[in-house]
Amino acid sequence: MARPRNFDDDVVVERAMQAFWTLGYANTSPAALAEATGVGKGSLYNAFGSKRELFERALERYDRLGAEVTAELLARPGTTRECLRAFLYDSVKSDLAQPIRRGCLAVNTAVELAGHDPEIARAVRRGVDRTMAALEWRIAQGVRDGDVRPDLAPRATAEYVMNTLAGLRVMARTYDAATLFRIADTALAVLDSA
Amino acid sequence: MARPRNFDDDVVVERAMQAFWTLGYANTSPAALAEATGVGKGSLYNAFGSKRELFERALERYDRLGAEVTAELLARPGTTRECLRAFLYDSVKSDLAQPIRRGCLAVNTAVELAGHDPEIARAVRRGVDRTMAALEWRIAQGVRDGDVRPDLAPRATAEYVMNTLAGLRVMARTYDAATLFRIADTALAVLDSA
DNA sequence: CCAGTTTTAGACCTGTAGTTCAAGAAAGGT
DNA sequence: ACCTTTCTTGAACTACAGGTCTAAAACTGG
């Protein structure tokens, strides 16, 4: 009945996400998006409405993929501490693996846009809350299993771990691997019974 | 012998700093800088060369003022933990006091520019290192005084506290005061002997 | 009070961001 | 084969970013 799209939305959103992640929102021009996605500017606007809306799609995707990775890491066998360690290490490692340090899209977005765009702020918050809920759940399990100090409140501890991750994502911009891993280890020491 | 400047460089840099801090580097246009400083674009370019150079001056100033505040806080009487608590609380409070959450200029800069601009990355790093050195010094003193667990390495602990601060500066974009203070407290609990 | 120098305000310039639009292309229904 | 609909391509458009330039203005030593 009509001409079909000759690209896959998911693929385009994925590529746009990579571009936004690497360059930042403001520095990713429509031309850059066209280049990165292999789709003409016109088609992008036809399909997604605006740069802003495409960004929201990209952020959503990032949150969803991140939540999947987190869930997988936290569901692995091992002590709570091992799981949280894997959680922190994993993000540091994937950061360092990139040729240019791009940090975390959620953190970048919180810093670049959350202050001036309440809707984006809510989207970021939703994603972070989701990860934090997973952490809380895993920590609560650790308390039940007895491998976490029973006096730790799962909620507060989850917030704390999340905060540590946010810090690491920023520190990864300028510090080396050894420092980052050392920070992660120091942060996790709080979980140990003394 | 020649017409004198009719503005004070320091005042202009201070105001430019505020603008960059609030709006971000990319979003602060020359027009916005002229507006914020009360100095015409032409004069700004004459005095500072470029937006980029003015930003470097602003960042330098931020680092210097921050270092002064940190030094003052850490030199106050009280236990190490009280000092570090004041250090973390202070930044959270000043963040929350602003009408729009603008976080920390150094963190914002690390996120927005450090990945693509090595020189800026070095400047950020210098500032952070300075603060971290002050923390290390205070923690080492705490170890000597016996109010910090002696098994804590001052350097690693300082990095850890710095990381916690970086995290808080990001989390302050989207979370409320209660959560932020709770995170700070949890983070400081690691210092206690059990 | 003039000469010489530097600053100033803002007009001006070039490039690009972000978006829209017009014209044609690829379907599917009839 | 034709019509309708939706997509594509790329040119076109407006606004503003970042920076330069100019003509007047403000100082000061002589």
Side-chain angles (χ1 to χ4, degrees), chain B residues 147-169:
Chain B
D147 68 2
V148 168
R149 284 166 46 189
D151 59 311
L152 290 179
R155 172 76 192 166
T157 309
E159 288 165 352
Y160 162 78
V161 173
M162 193 72 226
N163 186 71
T164 299
L165 179 65
L168 284 170
R169 294 300 220 152

mmCIF file of all heavy atoms in Angstrom, chain B residues 147-169:
data_model
loop_
_atom_site.group_PDB
_atom_site.id
_atom_site.type_symbol
_atom_site.label_atom_id
_atom_site.label_comp_id
_atom_site.label_asym_id
_atom_site.label_seq_id
_atom_site.Cartn_x
_atom_site.Cartn_y
_atom_site.Cartn_z
ATOM 1 N N ASP B 147 42.206 7.992 64.842
ATOM 2 C CA ASP B 147 40.752 8.023 64.687
ATOM 3 C C ASP B 147 40.292 7.472 63.328
ATOM 4 O O ASP B 147 39.135 7.614 62.941
ATOM 5 C CB ASP B 147 40.174 9.423 64.958
ATOM 6 C CG ASP B 147 40.556 10.459 63.907
ATOM 7 O OD1 ASP B 147 41.235 10.084 62.941
ATOM 8 O OD2 ASP B 147 40.182 11.621 64.075
ATOM 9 N N VAL B 148 41.232 6.838 62.631
ATOM 10 C CA VAL B 148 40.892 6.123 61.393
ATOM 11 C C VAL B 148 41.524 4.740 61.506
ATOM 12 O O VAL B 148 42.619 4.596 62.056
ATOM 13 C CB VAL B 148 41.469 6.858 60.158
ATOM 14 C CG1 VAL B 148 41.378 5.981 58.919
ATOM 15 C CG2 VAL B 148 40.767 8.176 59.926
ATOM 16 N N ARG B 149 40.815 3.765 60.988
ATOM 17 C CA ARG B 149 41.356 2.400 61.029
ATOM 18 C C ARG B 149 42.758 2.395 60.432
ATOM 19 O O ARG B 149 42.976 2.858 59.319
ATOM 20 C CB ARG B 149 40.484 1.469 60.195
ATOM 21 C CG ARG B 149 39.202 1.093 60.882
ATOM 22 C CD ARG B 149 38.213 0.449 59.918
ATOM 23 N NE ARG B 149 38.833 -0.559 59.075
ATOM 24 C CZ ARG B 149 38.214 -1.123 58.043
ATOM 25 N NH1 ARG B 149 36.982 -0.748 57.714
ATOM 26 N NH2 ARG B 149 38.813 -2.037 57.337
ATOM 27 N N PRO B 150 43.709 1.859 61.143
ATOM 28 C CA PRO B 150 45.107 1.929 60.705
ATOM 29 C C PRO B 150 45.391 1.082 59.464
ATOM 30 O O PRO B 150 46.402 1.277 58.805
ATOM 31 C CB PRO B 150 45.877 1.411 61.921
ATOM 32 C CG PRO B 150 44.891 0.606 62.692
ATOM 33 C CD PRO B 150 43.551 1.184 62.441
ATOM 34 N N ASP B 151 44.475 0.167 59.151
ATOM 35 C CA ASP B 151 44.726 -0.666 57.972
ATOM 36 C C ASP B 151 44.314 0.029 56.672
ATOM 37 O O ASP B 151 44.471 -0.522 55.585
ATOM 38 C CB ASP B 151 43.983 -1.994 58.108
ATOM 39 C CG ASP B 151 42.486 -1.780 58.249
ATOM 40 O OD1 ASP B 151 42.085 -0.944 59.096
ATOM 41 O OD2 ASP B 151 41.717 -2.429 57.521
ATOM 42 N N LEU B 152 43.775 1.253 56.771
ATOM 43 C CA LEU B 152 43.372 1.961 55.554
ATOM 44 C C LEU B 152 44.560 2.704 54.958
ATOM 45 O O LEU B 152 45.246 3.452 55.656
ATOM 46 C CB LEU B 152 42.263 2.965 55.860
ATOM 47 C CG LEU B 152 40.900 2.382 56.207
ATOM 48 C CD1 LEU B 152 39.907 3.506 56.509
ATOM 49 C CD2 LEU B 152 40.377 1.501 55.075
ATOM 50 N N ALA B 153 44.781 2.489 53.684
ATOM 51 C CA ALA B 153 45.845 3.225 52.999
ATOM 52 C C ALA B 153 45.330 4.624 52.701
ATOM 53 O O ALA B 153 44.287 4.777 52.065
ATOM 54 C CB ALA B 153 46.231 2.522 51.705
ATOM 55 N N PRO B 154 46.018 5.662 53.142
ATOM 56 C CA PRO B 154 45.525 7.033 52.934
ATOM 57 C C PRO B 154 45.253 7.349 51.473
ATOM 58 O O PRO B 154 44.236 7.942 51.139
ATOM 59 C CB PRO B 154 46.662 7.894 53.492
ATOM 60 C CG PRO B 154 47.291 7.045 54.527
ATOM 61 C CD PRO B 154 47.217 5.646 53.993
ATOM 62 N N ARG B 155 46.171 6.938 50.625
ATOM 63 C CA ARG B 155 46.012 7.254 49.214
ATOM 64 C C ARG B 155 44.736 6.617 48.642
ATOM 65 O O ARG B 155 43.904 7.293 48.029
ATOM 66 C CB ARG B 155 47.235 6.735 48.452
ATOM 67 C CG ARG B 155 47.139 6.806 46.963
ATOM 68 C CD ARG B 155 47.336 8.214 46.482
ATOM 69 N NE ARG B 155 46.973 8.320 45.067
ATOM 70 C CZ ARG B 155 46.779 9.457 44.440
ATOM 71 N NH1 ARG B 155 46.913 10.595 45.092
ATOM 72 N NH2 ARG B 155 46.455 9.484 43.184
ATOM 73 N N ALA B 156 44.584 5.322 48.835
ATOM 74 C CA ALA B 156 43.422 4.612 48.298
ATOM 75 C C ALA B 156 42.136 5.148 48.911
ATOM 76 O O ALA B 156 41.108 5.278 48.234
ATOM 77 C CB ALA B 156 43.551 3.121 48.562
ATOM 78 N N THR B 157 42.198 5.496 50.164
ATOM 79 C CA THR B 157 41.004 6.013 50.832
ATOM 80 C C THR B 157 40.640 7.389 50.298
ATOM 81 O O THR B 157 39.460 7.701 50.104
ATOM 82 C CB THR B 157 41.244 6.068 52.352
ATOM 83 O OG1 THR B 157 41.723 4.796 52.784
ATOM 84 C CG2 THR B 157 39.951 6.389 53.081
ATOM 85 N N ALA B 158 41.658 8.181 50.036
ATOM 86 C CA ALA B 158 41.398 9.499 49.462
ATOM 87 C C ALA B 158 40.743 9.358 48.083
ATOM 88 O O ALA B 158 39.781 10.062 47.760
ATOM 89 C CB ALA B 158 42.700 10.291 49.346
ATOM 90 N N GLU B 159 41.243 8.444 47.284
ATOM 91 C CA GLU B 159 40.643 8.209 45.963
ATOM 92 C C GLU B 159 39.186 7.789 46.132
ATOM 93 O O GLU B 159 38.312 8.219 45.367
ATOM 94 C CB GLU B 159 41.400 7.089 45.231
ATOM 95 C CG GLU B 159 42.781 7.498 44.738
ATOM 96 C CD GLU B 159 43.630 6.295 44.353
ATOM 97 O OE1 GLU B 159 43.216 5.141 44.615
ATOM 98 O OE2 GLU B 159 44.726 6.506 43.806
ATOM 99 N N TYR B 160 38.971 6.972 47.108
ATOM 100 C CA TYR B 160 37.617 6.483 47.358
ATOM 101 C C TYR B 160 36.676 7.620 47.751
ATOM 102 O O TYR B 160 35.550 7.716 47.243
ATOM 103 C CB TYR B 160 37.693 5.420 48.454
ATOM 104 C CG TYR B 160 36.389 5.129 49.121
ATOM 105 C CD1 TYR B 160 35.436 4.334 48.499
ATOM 106 C CD2 TYR B 160 36.102 5.641 50.385
ATOM 107 C CE1 TYR B 160 34.230 4.064 49.114
ATOM 108 C CE2 TYR B 160 34.907 5.379 51.009
ATOM 109 C CZ TYR B 160 33.973 4.595 50.372
ATOM 110 O OH TYR B 160 32.780 4.337 50.982
ATOM 111 N N VAL B 161 37.130 8.489 48.614
ATOM 112 C CA VAL B 161 36.294 9.616 49.039
ATOM 113 C C VAL B 161 36.035 10.546 47.858
ATOM 114 O O VAL B 161 34.916 11.017 47.636
ATOM 115 C CB VAL B 161 36.948 10.387 50.204
ATOM 116 C CG1 VAL B 161 36.167 11.655 50.524
ATOM 117 C CG2 VAL B 161 37.039 9.502 51.435
ATOM 118 N N MET B 162 37.067 10.762 47.076
ATOM 119 C CA MET B 162 36.922 11.602 45.883
ATOM 120 C C MET B 162 35.886 11.006 44.936
ATOM 121 O O MET B 162 35.053 11.717 44.361
ATOM 122 C CB MET B 162 38.285 11.667 45.187
ATOM 123 C CG MET B 162 38.374 12.731 44.146
ATOM 124 S SD MET B 162 38.430 14.360 44.896
ATOM 125 C CE MET B 162 37.236 15.206 43.891
ATOM 126 N N ASN B 163 35.956 9.706 44.784
ATOM 127 C CA ASN B 163 35.006 9.025 43.897
ATOM 128 C C ASN B 163 33.576 9.171 44.423
ATOM 129 O O ASN B 163 32.641 9.391 43.657
ATOM 130 C CB ASN B 163 35.371 7.540 43.807
ATOM 131 C CG ASN B 163 34.519 6.818 42.784
ATOM 132 O OD1 ASN B 163 34.659 7.017 41.590
ATOM 133 N ND2 ASN B 163 33.594 5.987 43.254
ATOM 134 N N THR B 164 33.446 9.072 45.725
ATOM 135 C CA THR B 164 32.124 9.233 46.327
ATOM 136 C C THR B 164 31.588 10.628 46.032
ATOM 137 O O THR B 164 30.417 10.796 45.677
ATOM 138 C CB THR B 164 32.218 9.020 47.851
ATOM 139 O OG1 THR B 164 32.676 7.693 48.094
ATOM 140 C CG2 THR B 164 30.857 9.221 48.501
ATOM 141 N N LEU B 165 32.476 11.604 46.136
ATOM 142 C CA LEU B 165 32.050 12.964 45.838
ATOM 143 C C LEU B 165 31.621 13.106 44.380
ATOM 144 O O LEU B 165 30.582 13.690 44.074
ATOM 145 C CB LEU B 165 33.178 13.954 46.126
ATOM 146 C CG LEU B 165 32.804 15.400 45.823
ATOM 147 C CD1 LEU B 165 31.693 15.872 46.740
ATOM 148 C CD2 LEU B 165 34.012 16.313 45.940
ATOM 149 N N ALA B 166 32.417 12.541 43.484
ATOM 150 C CA ALA B 166 32.067 12.613 42.055
ATOM 151 C C ALA B 166 30.686 11.998 41.840
ATOM 152 O O ALA B 166 29.847 12.554 41.117
ATOM 153 C CB ALA B 166 33.116 11.890 41.217
ATOM 154 N N GLY B 167 30.443 10.880 42.467
ATOM 155 C CA GLY B 167 29.136 10.238 42.354
ATOM 156 C C GLY B 167 28.028 11.140 42.866
ATOM 157 O O GLY B 167 27.009 11.348 42.206
ATOM 158 N N LEU B 168 28.255 11.724 44.028
ATOM 159 C CA LEU B 168 27.225 12.590 44.621
ATOM 160 C C LEU B 168 26.901 13.768 43.709
ATOM 161 O O LEU B 168 25.747 14.180 43.598
ATOM 162 C CB LEU B 168 27.711 13.110 45.982
ATOM 163 C CG LEU B 168 27.648 12.107 47.129
ATOM 164 C CD1 LEU B 168 28.365 12.644 48.359
ATOM 165 C CD2 LEU B 168 26.196 11.771 47.476
ATOM 166 N N ARG B 169 27.929 14.279 43.071
ATOM 167 C CA ARG B 169 27.722 15.424 42.198
ATOM 168 C C ARG B 169 26.837 15.054 41.023
ATOM 169 O O ARG B 169 26.114 15.894 40.488
ATOM 170 C CB ARG B 169 29.064 15.922 41.670
ATOM 171 C CG ARG B 169 29.938 16.474 42.769
ATOM 172 C CD ARG B 169 29.290 17.621 43.473
ATOM 173 N NE ARG B 169 30.246 18.648 43.757
ATOM 174 C CZ ARG B 169 29.942 19.938 43.869
ATOM 175 N NH1 ARG B 169 28.700 20.342 43.742
ATOM 176 N NH2 ARG B 169 30.862 20.812 44.138
#
